[in-house]
Amino acid sequence: MKNILNIVAIIVAGALVNLIAPWYFVALIAFASSMIFSEKALFAFLTGFAGVFLLWLFTAIAATWGNEGILVGRMSELIGMSGMALYLLTALIGGLTGGFASLSGFFLKDLFNQKDKSIYYGTK
Amino acid sequence: VKIVKLIVSLSITIGLIILLSTPLGGKPAFGKLLNPVSGFWANAESRNLHIDSEIAKLPLNDEVVAYFDERRVPHIFANNEYDLYFTQGYIVASLRLWQMEFQVMAAEGRVSEILGDDPRYLEFDKKQRRKGLKFGAQNKTELMMQDPLARELINAYTDGINEYIKRLPAKKLPLEYKLIGYKPELWSPYKTALFLMNMSDVLTSTEYDIEYSNFVFQHGSELFHQLYNDWFPENDPVLHAPEEGWLAHFGLDTSAIPGTAVLFPGKTPENTNATLGILDPKPDVQIGSNNWALHGNKTLSSYPLLANDPHLRLTFPSVWIEMHLVGPQSNAYGASFPGAPAIIIGFNEKIGWGVTNAGRDVKDWYVIEYKDNNKDFYRWEDGWRETKKVVEEYKVKGGQSVYDTIIFTHLGPVVHENFETNAGKLNLALQWMAHYPSEEYKTFYLLNRAENFEQYLEALTYYSCPAQNFVFACVDGDIALRQQGKFPVLEKHEGLTIEDGSKREKWSRFIPFEHIPMEYNPASGFVSSANQHAVDTTYPYYTNGVYEYYRNRVINDELSKLRRATVEDMKALQYNNYNLLAAENLPLLLDMLSTFKMNFKEQEIFESLRKWDFYNHADDINSTYFQIFYERFFTLLWDEFTEEEVAGSWENFKQKDGYKAPGEFKTYKIITDSIYNPFISHEQYPEIKTYNDIAQLAFKHAVERIEKIDQTDLPWGKYKNTLVEHIAMIPAFSANVNTGGNYKVVNATGKYHGPSWRMILDFADGKVSGLGVYPGGQSGNPGSYYYDNQLKEWTQGIYHELINSSSKADFENERYRKVTFKN
């Protein structure tokens, strides 16, 4: 449940940050979100990855909605991969950035807030 | 351990972000480009923009409204001049920002600043500055800024562009900025002047002074005149001599005719085997245009018809942008240049106008002899004159700045230093009309407002370079054509070859305005121009240039036959595919062939060509056969001056460095008039002794080539495979079209060039209504439907109605998207 909450938080906060800040601020979101929600290194990475992966995929789909494939067609010819691959590559770049940022967030929390962890457990 | 984990993980994260933000190996930064927030995804545009919107807090005097139609043509309504041109600039920037900036940066010699460390870019940049594009633009800016009218116009346009740039969020940067990785600068009047220099460079650089000199050095002037003299009895000039003759018409006597210059410096046989210097690539010979106007006595409506189609390189984004500008005293519609204010080719409620290139030589070269290696002085008569040195800095992207010193003489900049010619190594300075101060934009501003013939003439007084044939028609029924430009008064043959810089002063006398040739309501009932000779040889001034011989004859033939002409006749003529070059040359060449030597395939193609009607239609196969045959014949004949043709580059006879072969029509005349020609033999094929031998061999080679082409690629449109290319030559942003026409054909659609704006104006009932189409779209964004939406219609001959109502009410409906610009 917490992991899903983490993913949703990354998507929502990431989408908001997208509106005003450069693209890499999404890493800060994943980082911060992980500090709040993450409990295990593996899940920290996976939730961060999934959150930003989905956020970027949705954003790319939304951006090209109504474009009739014109831009993706030209860009996929330019880059030399299929349109589908272009969406996935974009999501993957975001996912990796989000995953590692999230992992870092977890490690930071792990370093300083050993005791707090139990509080979180307590509130579960 | 935990801290190590944190550090490793954090390092990976930060490293990844840095990696994704860094351009690698010439490729754009992946994260910057691909992230869906500000990367390329943000450039996707929806076709449907039928939502009214508002742009607030603009530095306008009053509210401006623009209605965008279904092709995104803006109809701009402003209450004062400043607001009108401000909004024009703002909207052009919103549609074409990257293109307009890239064009002027290239003109200024700043490509290596954008594209980086590549010797080709730096070489290009140095040439641009050495030719004086910057120098000319500075001279023009200075003059424009002194003229209150031109200053107002250009400042308003500049302010509009800059307001758009200042408001542009990073994510909405045009795609090319994201791909290349840079940002737009602010616009300035100087950049608008640079745009004009760019047009002058394209339209006046087809001159062969240095090539001709190499020929004269090697073979002497007598043979030169025989093989290169370009006036023939068949020529039908743009402007015909008045009945009383030019001299009487101008009130001049023969003493007014300047003398004849000597081709400099004559034959120097000891130097003829030098490796010749490589000259700048010439603008393609296919650049040209058609225009004409019919008087009411030749039209069904009894009112004039006017047509214009300028042939330029076919590019994405298009060289033109269509606009409708309504101000307090003006209502102009037509094609505008991204980067230049007002309408350039178009119409208002009273008049219409269009242009074709004059092709006159206004670019002359002079030998400069320095006193010593310091280059502080150069020879002038028996003494020396002082040079002026300008150091140019090239801020190469990702590298160190490079510096280049340009030497200026009284004639202009020394473009080539130590340049290899048949007369040895020379320093060559350039005198170019485009270097001189002038204010062409004022001409267009005034044409946008002109109401009659007198005001058209008045507007043209400000026009210098690149010289154009301005066609005119108006609701009063007048038609006119005038070759407007600033031309030096020269001796005969002056500037045909290199001149002596120690003896020639700067141009000081210019052909007076009233001696510029013009036709006004001629008895023939029409005026027309298609880049042919301006005037015949009785015109008292020397008019050297590079001229076209085919389109004008087809156009004039059709126009003289027309009675009760309609808009449909104009459309048909603009899309006329009759190839007169083929009609003249093919029978001649086929007659030279002996059929009994032919194999089966050769006979088949020979028979096929004999039945050809000479039309370059898209589905025609004989057009392909002829093109390959003729091209091979021409190259075998002029092997001394042309390179072996490269497969697929069919349309250009690539000249050997430093040489220029006689043109196609001259070649035809040399053969049919049996003009002495010592260049028939071919080094590689000693069996060639006559034109017939050349034709026979050329035909054999042509058939061999044809047999290698896939059957499905033989139809003309497929073989020609016309390319509309992105101006940064990005293939994914370019397109090929299957279409008829050819260079030297009225429908002048070649491989890389073609009618860049087709316009037809009908003055029926004293109102001007227009039709137009161009090969591209209003948007410069490759992520937009409007990037190329008109291309197909252009190939199919579908024109759009150009709605020029001055009433806002006509645009207040669901067809238009209204944008309000508020102060």
Side-chain angles (χ1 to χ4, degrees):
Chain A
M1 188 61 207
K2 247 183 179 176
N3 290 324
I4 292 176
L5 206 62
N6 193 358
I7 293 173
V8 172
I10 290 174
I11 294 177
V12 172
L16 290 174
V17 165
N18 273 353
L19 296 175
I20 46 160
W23 66 275
Y24 45 80
F25 271 72
V26 79
L28 279 182
I29 298 297
F31 185 88
S33 178
S34 175
M35 282 187 71
I36 299 166
F37 297 106
S38 289
E39 287 146 7
K40 282 183 182 159
L42 179 66
F43 285 108
F45 180 83
L46 289 179
T47 48
F49 183 92
V52 182
F53 184 95
L54 289 173
L55 170 66
W56 279 30
L57 190 63
F58 292 152
T59 314
I61 290 170
T64 50
W65 201 259
N67 183 247
E68 303 162 68
I70 292 167
L71 178 66
V72 172
R74 293 208 167 96
M75 286 307 290
S76 60
E77 194 187 329
L78 178 74
I79 296 175
M81 57 173 64
S82 74
M84 187 65 86
L86 207 50
Y87 282 100
L88 291 177
L89 177 68
T90 297
L92 184 71
I93 288 174
L96 285 174
T97 311
F100 282 109
S102 175
L103 188 63
S104 307
F106 168 76
F107 284 146
L108 185 67
K109 183 169 80 169
D110 207 26
L111 188 66
F112 293 111
N113 285 341
Q114 277 290 23
K115 284 174 192 168
D116 290 352
K117 212 174 176 182
S118 60
I119 296 169
Y120 281 107
Y121 279 120
T123 58
K124 200 167 168 181
Chain B
V1 179
K2 280 176 182 168
I3 189 121
V4 174
K5 281 184 183 170
L6 174 64
I7 289 168
V8 170
S9 173
L10 213 53
S11 308
I12 293 177
T13 313
I14 293 167
L16 195 64
I17 291 173
I18 291 172
L19 186 74
L20 290 169
S21 304
T22 314
L24 293 170
K27 298 277 187 305
F30 247 57
K32 272 190 185 168
L33 182 66
L34 285 181
N35 84 79
V37 185
S38 59
F40 80 85
W41 300 98
N43 294 82
E45 276 178 20
S46 168
R47 185 202 301 208
N48 303 310
L49 289 160
H50 291 292
I51 311 157
D52 291 352
S53 60
E54 205 176 280
I55 301 169
K57 289 186 187 152
L58 290 163
L60 291 166
N61 298 312
D62 206 344
E63 191 176 287
V64 178
V65 180
Y67 301 90
F68 287 81
D69 70 12
E70 69 284 347
R71 290 182 293 123
R72 297 196 90 182
V73 175
H75 302 262
I76 305 172
F77 288 79
N79 295 330
N80 59 77
E81 307 266 280
Y82 179 88
D83 288 359
L84 183 62
Y85 295 108
F86 176 96
T87 311
Q88 185 188 14
Y90 189 97
I91 290 175
V92 171
S94 75
L95 291 167
R96 301 286 188 88
L97 179 61
W98 177 78
Q99 170 198 17
M100 56 202 281
E101 187 181 51
F102 186 77
Q103 285 172 343
V104 297
M105 299 260 299
E108 200 183 3
R110 293 175 65 191
V111 171
S112 51
E113 202 176 307
I114 305 170
L115 297 179
D117 203 355
D118 181 321
R120 288 173 306 171
Y121 302 145
L122 188 62
E123 209 45 46
F124 173 84
D125 287 344
K126 282 186 179 175
K127 284 206 171 135
Q128 295 295 82
R129 296 197 201 173
R130 285 189 158 249
K131 280 191 288 189
L133 269 78
K134 234 179 124 166
F135 172 58
Q138 285 160 348
N139 290 339
K140 288 180 198 305
T141 310
E142 213 173 290
L143 180 68
M144 289 188 307
M145 291 298 104
Q146 284 164 14
D147 183 312
L149 203 153
R151 186 175 60 220
E152 273 287 294
L153 168 72
I154 290 165
N155 280 344
Y157 186 74
T158 300
D159 290 350
I161 296 168
N162 286 339
E163 190 62 27
Y164 179 79
I165 295 174
K166 284 179 206 155
R167 287 168 179 240
L168 184 65
K171 62 167 126 183
K172 288 292 174 197
L173 267 184
L175 189 50
E176 290 89 344
Y177 287 110
K178 294 180 185 176
L179 283 172
I180 302 167
Y182 72 114
K183 287 194 169 65
E185 291 177 355
L186 288 184
W187 195 260
S188 65
Y190 166 63
K191 287 183 190 277
T192 291
L194 276 169
F195 180 79
L196 184 70
M197 288 303 294
N198 175 48
M199 287 315 293
S200 282
D201 192 35
V202 170
L203 296 172
T204 64
S205 290
T206 309
E207 47 81 32
Y208 299 101
D209 301 3
I210 298 172
E211 290 88 338
Y212 290 164
S213 303
N214 278 326
F215 186 97
V216 174
F217 295 147
Q218 193 172 358
H219 301 288
S221 53
E222 197 185 333
L223 188 60
F224 172 76
H225 286 307
Q226 278 175 24
L227 292 181
Y228 291 89
N229 167 36
D230 65 352
W231 178 261
F232 316 102
E234 290 89 340
N235 288 0
D236 185 6
V238 175
L239 300 148
H240 303 90
E243 251 172 62
E244 68 273 27
W246 290 111
L247 281 175
H249 186 69
F250 295 148
L252 295 171
D253 60 52
T254 46
S255 66
I257 301 177
T260 299
V262 178
L263 297 190
F264 176 87
K267 196 174 172 179
T268 55
E270 62 275 17
N271 284 311
T272 53
N273 285 319
T275 322
L276 297 180
I278 299 167
L279 292 160
D280 294 348
K282 296 280 187 276
D284 206 285
V285 289
Q286 296 169 71
I287 288 177
S289 313
N290 306 319
N291 66 19
W292 60 80
L294 269 69
H295 194 268
N297 58 24
K298 282 183 81 72
T299 67
L300 184 64
S301 71
S302 303
Y303 284 91
L305 286 166
L306 181 148
N308 184 203
D309 54 299
H311 317 146
L312 294 168
R313 194 168 179 96
L314 299 173
T315 60
F316 284 123
S318 290
V319 64
W320 301 105
I321 187 163
E322 194 179 323
M323 296 203 142
H324 178 202
L325 308 176
V326 188
Q329 287 116 35
S330 66
N331 173 13
Y333 192 120
S336 163
F337 284 127
I343 298 297
I344 305 292
I345 295 177
F347 58 102
N348 58 36
E349 290 173 24
K350 302 279 185 193
I351 75 154
W353 71 96
V355 294
T356 67
N357 196 28
R360 302 257 291 264
D361 181 10
V362 288
K363 229 176 158 175
D364 283 344
W365 298 88
Y366 304 83
V367 178
I368 299 297
E369 187 196 335
Y370 296 125
K371 190 174 179 188
D372 53 41
N373 279 339
N374 294 330
K375 301 176 185 177
D376 292 330
F377 297 93
Y378 62 101
R379 187 175 293 283
W380 174 253
E381 292 182 333
D382 295 332
W384 304 96
R385 271 187 181 178
E386 207 173 335
T387 60
K388 198 185 136 211
K389 293 180 182 172
V390 175
V391 179
E392 287 290 343
E393 182 187 4
Y394 302 86
K395 298 173 186 163
V396 180
K397 181 179 169 185
Q400 293 208 315
S401 277
V402 174
Y403 296 88
D404 185 33
T405 305
I406 304 179
I407 311 281
F408 280 80
T409 66
H410 67 289
L411 295 156
V414 177
V415 179
H416 302 295
E417 302 215 29
N418 262 327
F419 193 77
E420 311 239 24
T421 72
N422 271 340
K425 289 186 177 176
L426 304 175
N427 302 310
L428 297 169
L430 172 67
Q431 178 170 218
W432 183 16
M433 193 52 79
H435 289 155
Y436 286 74
S438 59
E439 38 184 354
E440 283 74 13
Y441 293 125
K442 202 166 162 179
T443 295
F444 296 106
Y445 174 89
L446 292 172
L447 280 175
N448 280 223
R449 289 155 179 76
E451 297 192 344
N452 51 42
F453 174 70
E454 287 70 29
Q455 289 175 1
Y456 150 85
L457 265 191
E458 155 71 15
L460 295 193
T461 56
Y462 299 98
Y463 195 88
S464 292
C465 186
Q468 300 289 304
N469 300 304
F470 281 87
V471 70
F472 164 88
C474 77
V475 292
D476 302 340
D478 286 338
I479 61 167
L481 181 62
R482 182 177 171 87
Q483 184 164 94
Q484 188 62 42
K486 195 171 176 187
F487 305 105
V489 176
L490 301 173
E491 293 173 358
K492 191 179 178 187
H493 298 155
E494 184 181 343
L496 181 59
T497 52
I498 299 170
E499 295 284 333
D500 186 347
S502 73
K503 295 199 170 67
R504 289 284 185 200
E505 265 298 1
K506 212 173 144 170
W507 296 327
S508 58
R509 283 182 62 211
F510 298 92
I511 300 178
F513 187 79
E514 50 289 359
H515 293 181
I516 299 262
M518 179 174 76
E519 279 185 16
Y520 172 67
N521 294 334
S524 64
F526 68 90
V527 291
S528 85
S529 74
N531 317 105
Q532 75 269 41
H533 281 76
V535 285
D536 65 18
T537 49
T538 64
Y539 182 68
Y541 300 95
Y542 181 56
T543 59
N544 177 41
V546 171
Y547 302 116
E548 217 270 352
Y549 294 87
Y550 298 98
R551 282 181 278 116
N552 74 85
R553 288 188 283 152
V554 176
I555 291 168
N556 290 345
D557 196 36
E558 293 292 326
L559 291 180
S560 10
K561 283 188 288 192
L562 277 177
R563 298 282 178 276
R564 303 167 66 77
T566 64
V567 164
E568 292 308 311
D569 296 317
M570 303 297 98
K571 288 184 186 174
L573 187 49
Q574 284 193 333
Y575 279 88
N576 184 310
N577 284 334
Y578 183 68
N579 187 333
L580 179 56
L581 180 149
E584 284 178 348
N585 281 277
L586 184 62
L588 181 73
L589 293 179
L590 290 182
D591 271 355
M592 293 183 190
L593 301 178
S594 94
T595 46
F596 66 82
K597 289 181 193 160
M598 288 181 185
N599 65 29
F600 179 73
K601 186 71 189 175
E602 285 167 358
Q603 279 184 17
E604 187 189 307
I605 289 175
F606 177 83
E607 285 307 321
S608 179
L609 276 171
R610 267 177 23 142
K611 292 178 200 125
W612 186 33
D613 59 3
F614 311 117
Y615 279 86
N616 282 140
H617 295 315
D619 56 0
D620 180 63
I621 289 178
N622 283 314
S623 296
T624 308
Y625 295 162
F626 171 75
Q627 193 70 36
I628 296 172
F629 177 28
Y630 179 74
E631 177 187 289
R632 189 62 193 143
F633 175 82
F634 192 92
T635 316
L636 282 176
L637 169 58
W638 298 124
D639 61 304
E640 292 82 358
F641 312 119
T642 58
E643 302 280 0
E644 280 283 295
E645 61 273 44
V646 182
S649 70
W650 57 273
E651 62 178 349
N652 245 332
F653 302 112
K654 191 174 167 354
Q655 315 287 332
K656 277 189 179 150
D657 288 332
Y659 289 108
K660 161 82 177 81
E664 290 89 338
F665 190 69
K666 180 71 192 186
T667 300
Y668 173 76
K669 296 297 287 180
I670 289 171
I671 298 171
T672 54
D673 292 356
S674 307
I675 293 171
Y676 171 68
N677 174 10
F679 300 109
I680 294 174
S681 64
H682 194 292
E683 210 173 34
Q684 206 187 324
Y685 303 102
E687 67 269 30
I688 289 179
K689 298 203 166 52
T690 62
Y691 292 123
N692 289 19
D693 296 338
I694 300 174
Q696 199 77 44
L697 189 64
F699 190 69
K700 185 167 166 272
H701 288 172
V703 175
E704 282 164 9
R705 284 170 195 206
I706 290 162
E707 283 186 293
K708 283 188 196 131
I709 298 170
D710 194 276
Q711 199 66 27
T712 55
D713 290 333
L714 276 179
W716 177 238
K718 295 274 277 185
Y719 174 73
K720 182 173 59 140
N721 202 22
T722 297
L723 175 67
V724 185
E725 195 175 36
H726 184 267
I727 55 175
M729 297 182 200
I730 301 171
F733 297 170
S734 309
N736 288 94
V737 286
N738 179 357
T739 180
N742 199 353
Y743 77 119
K744 303 199 181 295
V745 163
V746 180
N747 175 13
T749 312
K751 180 153 179 85
Y752 304 105
H753 296 74
S756 56
W757 161 245
R758 282 190 169 113
M759 180 181 79
I760 296 170
L761 303 178
D762 185 356
F763 294 77
D765 306 323
K767 286 188 299 189
V768 197
S769 53
L771 294 174
V773 66
Y774 69 92
Q778 290 287 90
S779 171
N781 176 8
S784 166
Y785 168 80
Y786 304 96
Y787 180 68
D788 62 354
N789 62 313
Q790 294 191 52
L791 183 58
K792 203 168 179 194
E793 294 155 338
W794 175 82
T795 63
Q796 292 169 341
I798 297 168
Y799 292 77
H800 305 284
E801 205 182 328
L802 312 180
I803 295 171
N804 71 326
S805 165
S806 61
S807 159
K808 281 186 196 175
D810 289 334
F811 300 93
E812 291 280 354
N813 57 57
E814 71 280 5
R815 184 176 160 191
Y816 299 93
R817 173 194 168 222
K818 181 176 175 181
V819 180
T820 312
F821 296 82
K822 294 197 160 168
N823 57 6

